[in-house]
């Protein structure tokens, strides 16, 4: 068994095939609540809805949690004292508890046919009423039930919601919530095929697994009165509820799978770092208080408190994610950055080049890794560009002085036998000094000639190193030709 005094939280995903940002945030908060109180974090797979089963989906859950460091203490793969941790392997348990609930008066057998239910639905719809079960089988006597069961008439087991009164529960984020019982439906707990519905299995498992804090998305808030009534009917202790606010794309739209920006994988594919994504997701609806926003997972464990969770919808802010990602990039060693940027650098540059230098140039400015290939697209091939790029008000460059700078630059660079960063730097800065002009008068045109672009990662010196001697001189020649035509 588990230790009854410890805090136990769970992440209970349904295997849908991808990890929605909101779900990952739920997992993170559940993990933080457990770990900040020295408790246990449990992984349970909720796969009762076999029609929605997606091949490989459980592996995505494992991988995402492992990548982000949300390591579970008990779960399907590692077991634990209250397993199995996959609902499809717990069928008999649910059936047994449903029958017990019938005995206790909290549930009843329902033998209504599909046709009857369909007819009822039509009538409700036509009269604009909510489609609630009408309680037809609620008052069958024990004898009537036994007779029908003996005949083998198909049945479901429904929850017996009190007909009057109201149900109140407390949520740590949303406060006290009350629902009149007459608005709650006698939902199915066990289906005709003997399998539990999601709502029933969830409550049974949370109780049997000793979950003290139920952390989940706000979409479950309206079902919670029914869960509460189940706990009461069994005489079980009610857990602490923590419902998390929705994650929105903007003021009106939820972040959805369809937009291709809702899942953890989408963000990683876009070139965000795992640590940055986790840090950003933590702040979607939780505030540690104060100005500080950069927190690693162990740091979050230290400061996390449920009272910091907000009930207002959290709007996904790409700019903020960019900023956090940049902070993590800046904070890592050059070696590490080079290692993670390398696949992206190779996407942008096929020719032989000094990738370490490129990484060094990119690191201070890089927002996300996926921006890298486009930033380097000029290396393999000089793009066609307009001579207007040579004209910069800020640098005080024009066609004429650019042309003469390129000619002078070519002369000093040609003399270099050793094509190193230091030598190129000295040659170009030395040239500006000897001509008694501002550095930009030389460096701007050289950078344009080398890249054919207005914005580049790194300046003229770094780009010359990236391109190598021959390519650099040939591009300066092309620049000279272009400028000659427009004089
Ligand atoms: N299985 C549910 C889901 O994936 C989670 C329900 C819960 O956490 O209570 O949305």
């Amino acid at each position: 068994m588990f230790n009854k005094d410890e805090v136990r939280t769970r992440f209970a995903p349904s295997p849908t095939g991808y990890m929605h940002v909101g779900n990952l945030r739920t997992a993170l908060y559940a993990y933080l609540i457990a770990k900040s109180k020295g408790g246990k974090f449990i992984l349970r797979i909720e796969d009762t809805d076999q029609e929605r089963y997606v091949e490989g989906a459980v592996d995505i859950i494992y991988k995402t949690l492992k990548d982000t460091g949300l390591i579970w203490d008990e779960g399907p793969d590692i077991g634990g004292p209250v397993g199995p941790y996959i609902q499809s392997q717990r069928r008999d348990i649910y059936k047994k508890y449903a029958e017990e609930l019938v005995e206790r008066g909290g549930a009843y057998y329902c033998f209504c046919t599909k046709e009857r239910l369909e007819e009822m639905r039509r009538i409700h719809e036509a009269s604009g009423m909510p489609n609630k079960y009408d309680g037809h089988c609620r008052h069958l006597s024990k004898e009537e039930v036994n007779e029908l069961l003996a005949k083998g008439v198909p049945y479901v087991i429904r929850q017996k919601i009190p007909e009057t009164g109201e149900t109140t529960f407390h949520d740590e984020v949303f406060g006290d919530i009350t629902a009149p019982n007459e608005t709650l439906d006698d939902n199915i707990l066990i289906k005709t095929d003997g399998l539990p519905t999601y709502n029933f299995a969830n409550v049974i498992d949370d109780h049997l697994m000793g979950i003290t804090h139920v952390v989940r998305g706000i979409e479950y808030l309206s079902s919670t009165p029914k869960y509460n009534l189940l706990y009461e009917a069994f005489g079980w202790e009610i857990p602490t509820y923590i419902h998390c606010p929705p994650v929105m794309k903007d003021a009106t739209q939820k972040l959805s799978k369809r937009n291709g920006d809702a899942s953890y994988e989408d963000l990683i594919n876009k070139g965000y770092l795992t640590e940055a994504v986790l840090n950003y997701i933590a702040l979607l609806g939780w505030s540690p208080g104060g100005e500080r926003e950069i927190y690693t997972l162990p740091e979050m464990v230290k400061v996390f408190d449920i009272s910091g969770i907000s009930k207002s919808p959290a709007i996904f802010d790409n700019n903020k994610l960019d900023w956090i990602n940049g902070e993590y990039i800046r904070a890592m060693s050059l070696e590490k950055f080079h290692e993670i940027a390398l696949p992206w650098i190779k996407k942008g540059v096929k020719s032989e080049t000094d990738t370490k230098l490129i990484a060094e140039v990119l690191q201070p400015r890089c927002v996300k890794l996926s921006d890298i290939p486009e930033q380097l697209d000029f290396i393999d091939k000089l793009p066609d560009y307009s001579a207007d790029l040579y004209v910069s008000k800020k640098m005080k460059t024009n066609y004429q002085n650019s042309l003469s700078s390129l000619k002078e630059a070519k002369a000093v660079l040609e003399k270099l036998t050793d094509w190193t960063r230091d030598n190129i730097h000295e040659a170009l800065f030395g040239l500006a000094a000897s001509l008694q002009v501002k550095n930009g008068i030389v460096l701007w045109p050289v950078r344009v000639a080398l890249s054919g672009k207005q914005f580049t990662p790194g300046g003229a010196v770094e780009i010359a190193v990236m391109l190598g001697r021959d390519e650099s001189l040939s591009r300066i020649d092309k620049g000279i030709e272009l400028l000659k035509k427009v004089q």
Side-chain angles (χ1 to χ4, degrees):
M1 256 322 250
F2 51 86
N3 173 358
K4 291 224 188 295
D5 298 326
E6 76 191 358
V7 166
R8 291 172 63 82
T9 64
R10 59 24 174 210
F11 179 46
S14 305
T16 54
Y18 73 108
M19 181 70 81
H20 189 279
V21 161
N23 281 353
L24 183 58
R25 185 192 57 177
T26 300
L28 173 61
Y29 290 179
Y31 174 90
L32 291 172
I33 290 170
K35 296 295 149 182
S36 63
K37 298 188 190 320
K40 295 275 186 328
F41 174 59
I42 291 140
L43 175 61
R44 178 174 79 227
I45 302 294
E46 300 208 322
D47 61 346
T48 49
D49 192 352
Q50 295 283 320
E51 273 165 38
R52 285 175 59 205
Y53 181 77
V54 181
E55 190 69 39
V58 176
D59 292 332
I60 293 180
I61 295 168
Y62 289 157
K63 183 170 179 337
T64 310
L65 294 180
K66 279 187 184 152
D67 284 358
T68 50
L70 305 181
I71 305 302
W72 52 102
D73 301 296
E74 298 167 27
D77 54 338
I78 52 172
V82 286
Y85 293 85
I86 293 195
Q87 287 188 330
S88 55
Q89 295 171 10
R90 299 172 63 81
R91 288 172 193 188
D92 300 344
I93 301 177
Y94 308 123
K95 190 83 186 292
K96 176 177 147 258
Y97 277 96
E99 284 160 4
E100 184 187 324
L101 197 61
V102 173
E103 289 300 309
R104 286 173 171 268
Y108 60 95
Y109 289 91
C110 168
F111 301 90
C112 287
T113 58
K114 251 198 204 136
E115 292 68 32
R116 181 176 185 277
L117 295 174
E118 187 50 30
E119 178 61 21
M120 192 173 70
R121 191 186 63 75
R122 260 201 303 272
I123 295 172
H124 283 149
E125 218 169 70
S127 55
M129 276 158 65
N131 186 33
K132 229 171 128 255
Y133 180 65
D134 63 357
H136 185 260
C137 293
R138 234 180 125 110
H139 308 292
L140 290 176
S141 69
K142 223 176 175 158
E143 292 70 36
E144 284 170 311
V145 169
N146 285 340
E147 203 173 306
L148 290 164
L149 288 177
K151 275 196 205 152
V153 178
Y155 66 89
V156 299
I157 297 180
R158 286 185 185 271
Q159 183 173 2
K160 194 182 234 170
I161 304 271
E163 278 160 317
T164 55
E166 51 188 31
T167 299
T168 298
F169 70 93
H170 180 75
D171 181 85
E172 289 296 308
V173 178
F174 290 86
D176 283 343
I177 297 197
T178 299
N181 291 335
E182 61 184 0
T183 61
L184 307 174
D185 198 1
D186 282 357
N187 277 147
I188 296 175
L189 305 178
I190 298 288
K191 298 180 279 187
T192 332
D193 58 8
L195 289 177
T197 54
Y198 157 74
N199 290 321
F200 187 57
N202 184 273
V203 169
I204 300 299
D205 287 347
D206 281 346
H207 170 71
L208 294 180
M209 294 183 176
I211 302 305
T212 57
H213 296 65
V214 168
V215 188
R216 63 179 163 224
I218 193 175
E219 61 275 25
Y220 294 99
L221 194 67
S222 60
S223 309
T224 304
K226 281 185 276 187
Y227 301 157
N228 229 48
L229 287 168
L230 286 175
Y231 281 101
E232 282 172 3
F234 277 115
W236 292 340
E237 198 178 327
I238 290 166
T240 301
Y241 294 113
I242 295 127
H243 287 89
C244 305
V247 183
M248 309 290 287
K249 187 179 170 65
D250 51 39
T252 54
Q253 293 182 74
K254 272 192 158 188
L255 203 62
S256 90
K257 192 183 171 192
R258 244 171 301 133
N259 298 326
D261 53 9
S263 77
Y264 169 76
E265 298 85 48
D266 290 334
L267 297 175
I268 297 302
N269 291 339
K270 281 187 186 169
Y272 291 106
L273 306 177
T274 297
E275 298 83 347
V277 171
L278 198 69
N279 189 152
Y280 177 64
I281 284 180
L283 301 177
L284 271 176
W286 168 69
S287 161
E291 297 288 299
R292 183 172 161 195
E293 301 205 278
I294 301 296
Y295 287 90
T296 62
L297 185 57
E299 288 167 345
M300 286 181 220
V301 170
K302 282 200 192 116
V303 298
F304 193 82
D305 192 84
I306 297 171
S307 63
I309 301 178
S310 152
K311 58 180 163 195
S312 337
I315 298 193
F316 197 93
D317 178 352
N318 278 303
N319 292 331
K320 186 154 173 189
L321 175 57
D322 282 353
W323 174 76
I324 291 180
N325 205 57
E327 291 293 301
Y328 276 85
I329 287 179
R330 245 65 83 212
M332 61 177 62
S333 68
L334 175 57
E335 283 65 34
K336 177 89 188 121
F337 179 68
H338 179 239
E339 182 190 322
I340 61 163
L342 197 57
W344 300 90
I345 294 175
K346 288 195 168 155
K347 256 191 206 172
V349 190
K350 301 282 175 245
S351 46
E352 234 354 78
T353 180
D354 182 350
T355 57
K356 196 80 188 264
L357 170 75
I358 294 181
E360 187 189 327
V361 168
L362 291 171
Q363 193 179 9
R365 303 173 184 81
C366 186
V367 172
K368 55 182 188 295
L369 301 172
S370 56
D371 296 338
I372 293 177
E374 200 196 315
Q375 289 177 320
L376 303 177
D377 60 2
F378 64 92
I379 297 183
D380 282 345
K381 188 173 174 294
L382 178 68
D384 285 332
Y385 64 95
S386 153
D388 292 347
L389 280 189
Y390 287 101
V391 182
S392 161
K393 258 198 192 139
K394 195 168 155 225
M395 295 293 162
K396 301 198 171 25
T397 57
N398 52 41
Y399 295 149
Q400 291 78 20
N401 63 12
S402 291
L403 178 59
S404 74
S405 287
L406 286 188
K407 285 181 179 165
E408 302 273 4
K410 188 187 169 193
V412 294
L413 291 175
E414 253 174 355
K415 286 199 203 107
L416 295 181
T417 44
D418 208 4
W419 195 255
T420 63
R421 191 176 184 166
D422 283 350
N423 287 350
I424 299 168
H425 185 276
E426 215 179 290
L428 294 179
F429 282 77
L431 174 63
S434 71
L435 295 174
Q436 295 186 327
V437 294
K438 286 212 161 127
N439 294 336
I441 300 283
V442 172
L443 297 173
W444 180 271
V446 172
R447 197 182 56 82
V448 168
L450 294 178
S451 67
K453 288 180 86 164
Q454 184 164 15
F455 302 107
T456 50
V461 178
E462 286 92 2
I463 295 175
V465 185
M466 290 176 201
L467 293 175
R469 185 177 195 277
D470 294 349
E471 183 64 19
S472 298
L473 292 173
S474 135
R475 289 188 184 192
I476 291 176
D477 276 339
K478 284 190 186 134
I480 292 172
E481 291 313 310
L482 182 65
L483 283 168
K484 274 186 188 160
K485 281 190 217 141
V486 294
Q487 295 294 318

